[in-house]
Amino acid sequence: MNTPLPSHLLPEIHQREVPVALIDALKARFGDRCSTALAVREQHGRDESAFTTVPPPSAVVFAESTQDVADAVKLAAQHRVPVIPFGVGSSLEGHLLAVQGGISIDVSRMAQVLSVNAEDLTVTVQPGVTRKAVNEAVKSEGLFFPIDPGADASIGGMAATRASGTNAVRYGTMRENVLALEVVTAQGEVIRTGTRAKKSSAGYDLTRLMVGSEGTLGVITEVTLKLYPLPEAVSAATCSFPSIEAAVRTTIQVIQMGIPIARCELIDAGTIRMVNAHSKLGLREETMLLMEFHGSPASVQEQAETVQAIADEFGGQAFAWATTPEDRTRLWTARHNAYFAAVQSKPGCRAISTDTCVPISRLADCLLDSVAEADASGLPYFLVGHVGDGNFHFGYLIDPDNADERRLAEDLNHKLVARALSLEGTCTGEHGVGLHKMDFLRHEAGDGAVQMMRTIKRALDPDNIMNPGKIFAW
Amino acid sequence: MNTPLPSHLLPEIHQREVPVALIDALKARFGDRCSTALAVREQHGRDESAFTTVPPPSAVVFAESTQDVADAVKLAAQHRVPVIPFGVGSSLEGHLLAVQGGISIDVSRMAQVLSVNAEDLTVTVQPGVTRKAVNEAVKSEGLFFPIDPGADASIGGMAATRASGTNAVRYGTMRENVLALEVVTAQGEVIRTGTRAKKSSAGYDLTRLMVGSEGTLGVITEVTLKLYPLPEAVSAATCSFPSIEAAVRTTIQVIQMGIPIARCELIDAGTIRMVNAHSKLGLREETMLLMEFHGSPASVQEQAETVQAIADEFGGQAFAWATTPEDRTRLWTARHNAYFAAVQSKPGCRAISTDTCVPISRLADCLLDSVAEADASGLPYFLVGHVGDGNFHFGYLIDPDNADERRLAEDLNHKLVARALSLEGTCTGEHGVGLHKMDFLRHEAGDGAVQMMRTIKRALDPDNIMNPGKIFAW
């Protein structure tokens, strides 16, 4: 598992000194809640990405309150030591790696739902609450929180990476669904951004500056989210297609007609084979769309009939319903497990995951050429997509000890990103930049915009202690 | 019209020197398109707010391209001279006043619709395009741009103030509907933020940092907006209520039930009297809700029937339909003209406009107490509200030469804002901070958050040339 980091990242990879005095001060302040055990440190120094080669953080602080976070940051700031916030560790982009050393602040114990305001469709939570826990807390009110990135990620982490997932086609991403934040700054000060009002023009949008800042501008200690009434009716359907192109053309037409579909996911035939092998599902091994419709019973039926008619035009077959919650859960679990099913299909492999997103009109161009390239490479891969948003993920399955496979996967990823950017898209729809996409970001945003990001970072965090070495080079 | 500026703003009001060399350089670069005529300068040194007492800018540059804007900013930057972007001049918060002198950059000639991407539901425009012009350009594609602040504002100005208006309850504000920007920075560099992809996690959200920055971080020179399919069916309705409370309770229930109402506006009885006098409409002179429903014919009917049933419960009467486009236009014109109708009801007056927005569950508390206070004051006022969002506007009608009326209006506004903040709301739902709400912002956001805004401003614009003296004190 010792996949080397790409050479362009090397300037950002250097261990800064963590003085014993800091560890002593943290132990004095936090007692048992400051751990320097190797196993704990190692668990906090990695994530789901293919990078695991840097040393772990020097200590892990288990914060239980905003004050804990503020005190830990203040102590670290006194010693100019990096601070890396940790939720559940489900990042795919190396966000949690201590590339410049430092300490990890684990917020998973900050897991209280602070207030549910059913009348206003808002909920305020601590950052360690996971998305499933939010839904558990609000379902008795007839409400739900739609953002679903697959993993049961922490809300703090989801805000920090501007996460989205399968429901974004209808409900938007964390960008649209975070109303307000509490944040501990690089100086250890506690600030609040936004209010519970639905809209505001009160100064710079610090909420959205923090959403997607990947821990580089502050530690999120409280999040106010939008909620939605549980739809009166929910129906999921699968439909098989003779080709990826047919599924993509169906998706494009559904979106362009303005059908308020809640989920529209693509899984290619090869990935379904992996899912069948992993979850014993017996799904038809052809390209498939998984769809979900939310609304009144009449509206759900109307949406589904329209979509079925469109799918028919493109050769869609075996349109099948999953109307019971159990059937739906089984389907979405299969979708969410695609990543694990794929990784288990090649023992010892790691997945290099792509995350491009393009305008829907460019989706076929972007996806089909990339499938042809991946097929030609001979590298096994999985392919799943939030195609309703123009976002899809290849996961190239590589032996981490095989430099050739690594190079091949990176080459495919580079070509895919270049294609997405030429089609007015983005290198990352939802995973964030982290370590792996720093070079892509420069190409996408341009030196001027990256320089503006850097200027903001340097102004707010002049000692570069907040998750350094991520998003862009210092 | 010589309303003095409040004393807390005085530190920000000081004329910086505009060297003759700069004016000469601008004339050499722009010829006739750089005007120093007093009438032109005066027109660019005021807006719709009650502040008109500072000297106008020293020159007005009529930009016709991004390069023009970049060159004008670069020349101003060389001389550390303030730059104030100007669209159509419809700001209500003093955004356009040259409180520290400088030059105005008028972008109204940058009025090209650059590309309509009907398949992706996006349009890219220059900043001087107005919202009505956007709608003209896209309606043949069966699309529309929903944000409607009343005035036919420029898209650049709407982005800069994070505008919204009557349709925000369903379609969101400029925050949700700007996908990408081109911006000229304080250094005269041209950067792009965002892409046409529907979602992205690629670095800091510079798009949303610029949206709502009120010209203090850069000049917006291009905007990519989201569009929506024109609804198959549109119906507007009015309903009269025995009290403001009855109308507000109806609104709260409509929103909490998740009915996707497109517009839900309140006008109080006194304002309807003014509108009737101004527009000869013969509307029933009681508190009224103006509503609009978008969707399929069946869904529009379902929504309207549900709303009518709710209104009935609260004593709503005279539910009346406006189904033809002409009838609807007449109604919405009346709503949009409320401001002008009110101002004309008291010759020589100016309106001090409030803009609080609170969570919907707090709307009745916030609004009713404020109505009681306004009534007790004896000051005439108008009251209109985007109540579906929890946002409403009092316009206190004052004689600008009467210091007592001024003080009375400011006192009412202060009490209203304090109440809204205590109810977890914001001092400005959609007008922006500008000059008038700087003090309110400090109370709302807190010193820490305002300090973070200031740190960003100082880092990106160290000479404070971009619309200085707005949002917060330097």
Side-chain angles (χ1 to χ4, degrees), chain A residues 5-12 414 435-440 473:
Chain A
L5 286 158
S7 59
H8 72 267
L9 294 176
L10 293 183
E12 292 303 311
H414 270 84
L435 277 175
H436 194 41
K437 296 189 163 62
M438 286 168 58
D439 212 38
F440 295 151

Side-chain angles (χ1 to χ4, degrees), chain A residues 22-34 61-72 75:
Chain A
L22 171 61
I23 304 296
D24 289 346
L26 290 170
K27 291 210 177 230
R29 167 67 178 78
F30 294 102
D32 283 354
R33 293 193 287 116
C34 173
V61 171
F62 292 90
E64 294 180 352
S65 67
T66 299
Q67 193 58 52
D68 282 353
V69 174
D71 288 352
L75 287 170

Side-chain angles (χ1 to χ4, degrees), chain A residues 41-340:
Chain A
R41 294 192 291 120
E42 281 183 341
Q43 189 222 335
H44 287 77
R46 62 174 178 243
D47 57 18
E48 294 291 333
S49 72
F51 302 109
T52 53
T53 49
V54 303
S58 298
V60 178
V61 171
F62 292 90
E64 294 180 352
S65 67
T66 299
Q67 193 58 52
D68 282 353
V69 174
D71 288 352
V73 171
K74 270 187 189 153
L75 287 170
Q78 282 169 20
H79 296 275
R80 300 189 183 184
V81 162
V83 163
I84 304 155
F86 186 99
V88 306
S90 54
S91 161
L92 293 168
E93 295 295 345
H95 291 111
L96 304 173
L97 273 64
V99 293
Q100 298 185 13
I103 63 166
S104 171
I105 300 185
D106 183 316
V107 298
S108 63
R109 297 184 190 175
M110 294 176 69
Q112 282 183 59
V113 175
L114 298 170
S115 62
V116 181
N117 291 86
E119 293 188 315
D120 297 317
L121 305 175
T122 70
V123 62
T124 300
V125 300
Q126 289 189 310
V129 175
T130 68
R131 65 171 181 89
K132 286 183 183 170
V134 172
N135 276 307
E136 277 303 310
V138 304
K139 78 177 174 191
S140 65
E141 301 279 358
L143 301 175
F144 81 117
F145 174 64
I147 319 271
D148 174 2
D152 191 20
S154 69
I155 296 298
M158 288 172 64
T161 53
R162 205 181 295 129
S164 49
T166 53
N167 274 314
V169 59
R170 173 150 173 173
Y171 299 96
T173 72
M174 291 301 275
R175 179 175 76 191
E176 287 82 17
N177 287 287
V178 174
L179 270 174
L181 294 172
E182 182 189 76
V183 176
V184 171
T185 69
Q187 291 72 41
E189 303 295 330
V190 181
I191 65 161
R192 288 189 169 272
T193 73
T195 69
R196 287 207 309 113
K198 203 181 147 196
K199 62 183 197 181
S200 172
S201 289
Y204 300 168
D205 192 344
L206 298 181
T207 304
R208 261 140 293 270
L209 179 64
M210 290 295 161
V211 170
S213 64
E214 304 185 8
T216 66
L217 297 178
V219 184
I220 293 168
T221 48
E222 205 177 292
V223 187
T224 300
L225 298 166
K226 287 190 200 175
L227 299 172
Y228 297 81
L230 276 166
E232 210 186 331
V234 174
S235 258
T238 56
C239 185
S240 295
F241 289 87
S243 66
I244 291 178
E245 176 161 15
V248 169
R249 301 267 174 223
T250 299
T251 303
I252 293 174
Q253 194 157 333
V254 166
I255 298 300
Q256 288 177 350
M257 283 184 65
I259 297 166
I261 194 167
R263 290 169 151 165
C264 186
E265 298 284 305
L266 178 142
I267 309 187
D268 84 327
T271 309
I272 292 187
R273 270 192 295 279
M274 298 172 186
V275 168
N276 276 341
H278 177 266
S279 307
K280 315 272 175 293
L281 276 178
L283 296 168
R284 210 171 146 123
E285 294 183 351
E286 291 180 335
T287 297
M288 180 183 279
L289 287 182
L290 278 86
M291 295 166 284
E292 197 165 279
F293 307 97
H294 295 178
S296 67
S299 130
V300 161
Q301 194 180 338
E302 194 182 27
Q303 291 174 51
E305 280 169 6
T306 312
V307 170
Q308 191 161 1
I310 296 169
D312 282 350
E313 267 180 57
F314 291 100
Q317 289 196 330
F319 206 92
W321 290 102
T323 41
T324 69
E326 295 72 29
D327 281 355
R328 285 205 307 276
T329 301
R330 204 171 53 100
L331 265 186
W332 290 112
T333 303
R335 161 64 186 86
H336 286 332
N337 285 343
Y339 172 82
F340 301 101

Side-chain angles (χ1 to χ4, degrees), chain B residues 48-364:
Chain B
E48 294 292 334
S49 73
F51 301 109
T52 54
T53 49
V54 303
S58 298
V60 178
V61 171
F62 291 90
E64 293 179 353
S65 67
T66 299
Q67 194 58 55
D68 281 354
V69 174
D71 288 352
V73 171
K74 271 188 187 151
L75 288 170
Q78 280 168 21
H79 297 276
R80 301 188 182 185
V81 162
V83 163
I84 303 155
F86 186 99
V88 306
S90 55
S91 160
L92 292 168
E93 295 295 345
H95 291 113
L96 304 172
L97 273 65
V99 294
Q100 298 184 14
I103 63 166
S104 172
I105 300 185
D106 182 317
V107 298
S108 64
R109 297 183 190 175
M110 294 175 69
Q112 282 182 58
V113 175
L114 297 170
S115 63
V116 181
N117 292 85
E119 292 187 317
D120 297 317
L121 305 175
T122 70
V123 62
T124 299
V125 301
Q126 289 188 308
V129 175
T130 68
R131 66 170 180 90
K132 287 184 182 171
V134 172
N135 276 306
E136 278 303 310
V138 304
K139 77 176 174 191
S140 65
E141 302 279 359
L143 301 174
F144 81 117
F145 174 64
I147 318 269
D148 175 1
D152 191 18
S154 69
I155 296 299
M158 286 171 65
T161 53
R162 206 181 295 129
S164 50
T166 53
N167 275 313
V169 59
R170 173 150 174 172
Y171 299 97
T173 73
M174 291 301 274
R175 179 175 76 190
E176 287 83 17
N177 286 285
V178 174
L179 270 174
L181 294 171
E182 182 189 75
V183 176
V184 171
T185 69
Q187 290 73 40
E189 304 295 329
V190 180
I191 66 161
R192 287 188 169 274
T193 74
T195 69
R196 288 208 307 110
K198 203 180 149 199
K199 64 183 196 181
S200 172
S201 291
Y204 300 167
D205 193 344
L206 299 180
T207 304
R208 260 140 293 269
L209 180 64
M210 290 294 162
V211 170
S213 65
E214 305 186 7
T216 65
L217 297 178
V219 183
I220 293 168
T221 50
E222 207 177 288
V223 186
T224 300
L225 299 167
K226 286 191 200 173
L227 298 172
Y228 297 81
L230 276 165
E232 210 186 329
V234 175
S235 257
T238 56
C239 185
S240 295
F241 289 86
S243 66
I244 291 177
E245 177 162 13
V248 169
R249 300 269 174 221
T250 299
T251 302
I252 292 174
Q253 194 157 332
V254 166
I255 297 301
Q256 287 177 351
M257 283 185 64
I259 297 166
I261 195 167
R263 289 168 152 166
C264 186
E265 298 284 305
L266 177 143
I267 310 187
D268 84 326
T271 309
I272 293 188
R273 271 191 294 280
M274 297 171 185
V275 168
N276 276 342
H278 177 267
S279 307
K280 315 273 175 294
L281 278 177
L283 295 167
R284 210 171 146 122
E285 295 183 352
E286 289 179 338
T287 297
M288 179 183 278
L289 286 183
L290 278 85
M291 296 165 283
E292 198 165 277
F293 307 98
H294 295 178
S296 68
S299 128
V300 162
Q301 195 182 338
E302 194 183 24
Q303 290 174 51
E305 279 168 7
T306 313
V307 170
Q308 192 161 1
I310 296 169
D312 281 350
E313 268 179 57
F314 290 100
Q317 290 197 329
F319 205 92
W321 290 101
T323 41
T324 70
E326 296 72 28
D327 280 356
R328 283 205 308 276
T329 302
R330 204 170 56 99
L331 265 187
W332 290 112
T333 304
R335 160 64 186 87
H336 285 333
N337 285 344
Y339 173 82
F340 300 102
V343 170
Q344 288 187 15
S345 73
K346 178 173 170 177
C349 81
R350 304 278 301 196
I352 303 252
S353 190
T354 73
D355 185 30
T356 50
C357 182
V358 294
I360 194 85
S361 69
R362 311 300 179 91
L363 179 59

